[in-house]
Amino acid sequence: MTTKPSSYLPIVLRTDQRDALLVGGGQVAVQKMRLLKGRCRMIHIWAETLHPELAALVEQGQAAFRQGRVEEDALQAVLPDMALVFAATDDEAVNEMVARQAHALRVPVCVVDAPALSSFITPALVDRSPVQVAITTGGASPVLARRVRQMVEAMLPARMGEAARFMRKQRGWLKDRLPGMKQRQRVWESFVDGPAYEAALAGEEDRAREQLEQLVAVAEGEADRPQGEVWLVGAGPGNPDWLTLAALRLMQNADSVLYDNLVAPDVLDRVRRDAERVYVGKKRSHHTLPQSDIEAEMLRRARRGERVLRLKGGDPFVFGRGGEEMETLLAANVPVRVVPGITAANGCAAAAGIPLTHRDCAQSCVVVTGHARADGTLNLHWPSLARRGQTVVIYMGLSSMAELCRQMQDHGLPESWPVAVVHRGSCADQRCVTGTLGTIAEDVRRQRLQSPVLIIVGEVVHHRGEVVQAVPGYSTSKESA
């Protein structure tokens, strides 16, 4: 089946050296003014009354105001000097007259909500100036265009414009160094696909220029491929919809990814398909790789020029050993970027409908690890944990559950103190078991919960709510023994 081409041809029109005419002074005209602002030499507004936002623009000297009803003879005199015109009044006769005159003088015209009268329509725009992405449905469905725009907005880095401006400044220099167009194209492709682009996005122009010079030296055969870098990225508690935009972007740019047991399969599916995946998972009493070997592997890959993604469940700096890895990498002069993730504490509690703080019962929140020593003991400051008026969130505490509950009671909390245990929080198979310090260990054993779990201790558990669509297809039912 052959699809008929759209009646509209997407083009990019230069308007910075010409004026534009906006007929109308209401809310619709304001929307079009926001599109024109900064893109034209002058905006001429012709209307009987002005919206306050348009009046402010006139007062600032960024627009010229012609007050009164639009007359046909006067319009004919004004239109030839305009790059384009918007008709945005609530008077259909005026809009039709503006369109007719503009067509006769071959001036591009858009009549708002009247494609049949228009010679152009405005797209939904994603603006990362000087990078712009326009989405249009040819007037068929502006709502659909806006939804597509939202998707594109999520894909593009907020600071992409900075990288584009940096690249524009380097074009002349690069052309002098590499006269061949294909050579320059290969260098720019390597630039955009590598750490240099990340530096430019971050506004680190000196480092971006240094990386670009290395790429040029490689193209000239005078240097080896430049060193790569490591990205310590938080993957959140497990729901792929809860990944940050920065995490998604780096997951699509990585050459290799080192991931562990806490990274959910649905999250790992967001990594680019051709990236090499290296499992370095850690489970209780079973480490695929010792921590020192993981750090050595990251160093080895970065030194040979790879963009290495170290993907960690939750946040890399909250019980993720990200601080240790960062120190090792920086000591070896390997560049490191850190992207935080939604922590397991925040994510699992929210998915289970449990607030971590509450004005009535918890004015602070303490986050600790329940990972026991080799001899089974827990080295925690129990007097500071077994307090009222706070929430205690315990990572990696399933195997020490009975000891945790006993110590909390021995140091002052009652047997009836509420506890929740959240298994695979935010994921489709999430489960939450609630109980007390006196019952929860047996409750969890009977429910056969397995790691990973998060333990929440405190009166906030009594405030647990029914969270609607915290997880797709999932509702937080209060499951307790």
Side-chain angles (χ1 to χ4, degrees), residues 137-469:
T137 61
S141 176
V143 171
L144 179 59
R146 288 198 298 271
R147 290 294 180 266
V148 175
R149 174 194 169 190
Q150 291 173 3
M151 290 184 257
V152 176
E153 284 274 14
M155 294 168 56
L156 301 185
R159 302 180 70 175
M160 176 178 277
E162 292 194 32
R165 285 189 288 274
F166 170 83
M167 295 171 72
R168 180 168 56 194
K169 287 194 293 187
Q170 311 307 316
R171 290 184 64 181
W173 168 81
L174 185 60
K175 189 173 183 179
D176 291 339
R177 285 285 301 268
L178 297 174
M181 183 181 296
K182 288 187 177 181
Q183 263 191 316
R184 294 198 302 274
Q185 182 177 343
R186 283 195 293 268
V187 166
W188 281 129
E189 288 172 349
S190 297
F191 178 92
V192 170
D193 289 339
Y197 180 64
E198 297 297 329
L201 281 177
E204 301 169 2
E205 290 201 3
D206 290 343
R207 184 158 179 269
R209 173 62 184 248
E210 180 183 340
Q211 293 271 348
L212 180 59
E213 289 175 349
Q214 287 183 313
L215 291 171
V216 172
V218 171
E220 294 175 332
E222 298 176 359
D224 295 329
R225 185 180 179 186
Q227 179 173 263
E229 61 182 38
V230 176
W231 305 328
L232 304 179
V233 175
N239 188 329
D241 288 342
W242 291 10
L243 287 164
T244 66
L245 299 181
L248 280 169
R249 179 171 54 82
L250 294 182
M251 289 165 70
Q252 286 297 308
N253 290 342
D255 298 310
S256 56
V257 53
L258 278 63
Y259 67 99
D260 56 38
N261 182 53
L262 294 178
V263 177
D266 287 346
V267 170
L268 199 60
D269 285 343
R270 269 53 174 186
V271 175
R272 61 185 280 187
R273 294 187 183 278
D274 58 341
E276 184 180 356
R277 301 181 183 187
V278 181
Y279 178 66
V280 293
K282 297 180 179 182
K283 299 180 182 178
R284 182 171 177 261
S285 304
H286 177 72
H287 287 195
T288 298
L289 283 181
Q291 184 63 30
S292 58
D293 288 356
I294 295 173
E295 293 166 3
E297 181 67 9
M298 288 190 290
L299 285 171
R300 182 181 70 84
R301 289 176 176 274
R303 283 170 173 160
R304 72 184 189 189
E306 291 185 24
R307 295 162 294 177
V308 184
L309 175 68
R310 178 67 171 106
L311 195 59
K312 296 172 174 286
D315 182 276
F317 280 4
V318 180
F319 300 125
R321 306 189 78 166
E324 300 171 38
E325 295 174 356
M326 178 183 67
E327 291 172 348
T328 299
L329 294 162
L330 292 178
N333 294 317
V334 171
V336 179
R337 297 190 184 278
V338 181
V339 174
I342 294 177
T343 66
N346 284 338
C348 294
I354 300 172
L356 291 180
T357 61
H358 195 286
R359 183 172 58 180
D360 295 340
C361 61
Q363 293 75 48
S364 63
C365 179
V366 180
V367 180
V368 299
T369 174
H371 188 64
R373 292 179 172 180
D375 61 2
T377 61
L378 287 171
N379 185 27
L380 298 175
H381 192 265
W382 298 108
S384 66
L385 298 181
R387 290 180 177 175
R388 298 174 183 269
Q390 71 178 9
T391 304
V392 179
V393 178
I394 305 162
Y395 286 60
M396 297 171 283
L398 183 61
S399 63
S400 307
M401 179 79 70
E403 175 71 4
L404 283 165
C405 294
R406 184 183 67 79
Q407 290 284 2
M408 288 281 197
Q409 294 175 73
D410 288 349
H411 287 82
L413 289 179
E415 180 182 352
S416 60
W417 200 247
V419 183
V421 180
V422 185
H423 167 71
R424 288 183 55 79
S426 85
C427 297
D429 57 348
Q430 169 182 313
R431 296 176 66 196
C432 181
V433 175
T434 59
T436 69
L437 288 176
T439 66
I440 194 66
E442 178 60 22
D443 294 341
V444 166
R445 186 195 66 77
R446 189 162 55 247
Q447 294 288 341
R448 297 181 180 179
L449 291 193
Q450 296 181 337
S451 293
V453 301
L454 192 84
I455 303 169
I456 303 172
V457 181
E459 290 181 300
V460 291
V461 174
H462 286 323
H463 293 273
R464 183 183 178 203
E466 296 290 340
V467 181
V468 179
Q469 295 181 339

